Amino acid sequence: MALPLLVNTALVVAAILLHYEVLYQLARRLPHVGIAARYRVLLGVAIIFVAHVIEIWLFALGYLVSMQIEGLGGLTGEPSGHGVLLDCAYLSFITFTTVGYGDLVAHGYLRYLTGIEALTGLILITWSASFMFLEMQKDWADAREPQEP
């Protein structure tokens, strides 16, 4: 039980630190990008999207590595036929976003990673939404003020 706990903790910490750094750098640099406010918002969303994809792949690699360790578990269900890595990525995408179709399921200790990933994904996605809401308020408040003739 100690090894799955260690793996799960390392993945969560890595994802949170990555996300924190992306949002921190966006907060520092986004206001100084020399484009219109509406395009800065789009740029921020695009960068956050990429950060989420990287975080999802981080968990996918966690599934893949964990499956190689004897006794930690594996996947059951409908494999894609495109390899174990893509199956892990698929599971990670549907778990991180809390969609959870159920066509591919982790078993053994690997099940705990899916629960941890879902919670982490929920937190990071809402953190991103809150961040972009605040950025939009900053940038779009100026656009709502009446313009002098």
Side-chain angles (χ1 to χ4, degrees), residues 64 104 114 133:
L64 187 65
L104 196 59
T114 59
F133 175 76

Side-chain angles (χ1 to χ4, degrees), residues 75-84 86-88 90-91 94 101-106:
L75 303 180
T76 57
E78 301 174 27
S80 67
H82 299 292
V84 177
L86 289 182
D87 287 341
C88 289
Y90 170 75
L91 177 65
I94 63 171
Y101 291 124
D103 57 342
L104 196 59
V105 179

Side-chain angles (χ1 to χ4, degrees), residues 45-55:
V45 168
I47 291 169
I48 289 172
F49 177 82
V50 170
H52 284 294
V53 170
I54 292 168
E55 293 153 4

Side-chain angles (χ1 to χ4, degrees), residues 35-103:
I35 57 177
R38 63 188 290 170
Y39 299 118
R40 281 197 304 266
V41 168
L42 289 175
L43 178 62
V45 168
I47 291 169
I48 289 172
F49 177 82
V50 170
H52 284 294
V53 170
I54 292 168
E55 293 153 4
I56 289 167
W57 273 96
L58 181 68
F59 278 100
L61 292 174
Y63 289 119
L64 187 65
V65 168
S66 295
M67 288 170 51
Q68 306 308 312
I69 300 171
E70 184 75 28
L72 289 190
L75 303 180
T76 57
E78 301 174 27
S80 67
H82 299 292
V84 177
L85 177 60
L86 289 182
D87 287 341
C88 289
Y90 170 75
L91 177 65
S92 187
F93 270 95
I94 63 171
T95 301
F96 189 91
T97 59
T98 67
V99 173
Y101 291 124
D103 57 342

Side-chain angles (χ1 to χ4, degrees), residues 99-121:
V99 173
Y101 291 124
D103 57 342
L104 196 59
V105 179
H107 62 85
Y109 285 113
L110 209 55
R111 294 179 304 170
Y112 297 109
L113 183 52
T114 59
I116 293 293
E117 183 183 10
L119 180 58
T120 304

Side-chain angles (χ1 to χ4, degrees), residues 23 26-27 30 48 126-136:
L23 294 183
L26 272 176
L30 202 56
I48 289 172
T126 56
W127 190 5
S128 298
S130 298
F131 175 84
M132 286 312 302
F133 175 76
L134 294 173
E135 287 300 311
M136 289 168 58

